[in-house]
Amino acid sequence: TTPPPPLSYRLRIPDDVISSGRLTDVQLDAVVRACAQHERFLPGGSSARRGFLMGDGPGVGKGRQIAGIILENAMRGRRKAVWVSTSADLWV
């Protein structure tokens, strides 16, 4: 396997969200990596931000990861988000 690149991204998610265990270390890692990409724009002078694909299997907590990504982006003033799911048991 190839080790992931080092990160310098600093989360702005409130400490109580992290200390309460609402997101695991693995989920936080995905949030950090996704948001690090959201800081960058697509090449060619585009105003569109880069994306991030989560390919985790079932039971990893992708819903929590998505919620963490949306929260982190909101903390940085990026308020637009669309979350589409086929799960009927998700609550906002």
Side-chain angles (χ1 to χ4, degrees):
T1 64
T2 303
L7 291 172
S8 60
Y9 186 86
R10 296 272 188 226
L11 284 175
R12 291 191 184 169
I13 290 177
D15 289 337
D16 66 311
V17 172
I18 296 169
S19 63
S20 67
R22 292 183 208 160
L23 294 169
T24 66
D25 289 345
V26 172
Q27 291 166 342
L28 278 170
D29 183 68
V31 170
V32 169
R33 293 189 182 282
C35 292
Q37 288 301 312
H38 294 163
E39 290 283 291
R40 302 173 67 192
F41 292 92
L42 292 174
S46 174
S47 62
R49 295 185 183 274
R50 289 185 177 196
F52 183 82
L53 173 69
M54 278 189 296
D56 295 333
V60 175
K62 290 177 292 298
R64 288 179 181 260
Q65 291 171 330
I66 293 167
I69 291 166
I70 291 171
L71 175 60
E72 176 66 16
N73 275 294
M75 299 298 295
R76 294 188 178 265
R78 297 189 289 265
R79 307 265 179 197
K80 293 181 182 180
V82 176
W83 182 349
V84 178
S85 176
T86 59
S87 295
D89 62 346
L90 294 175
W91 293 88
V92 177

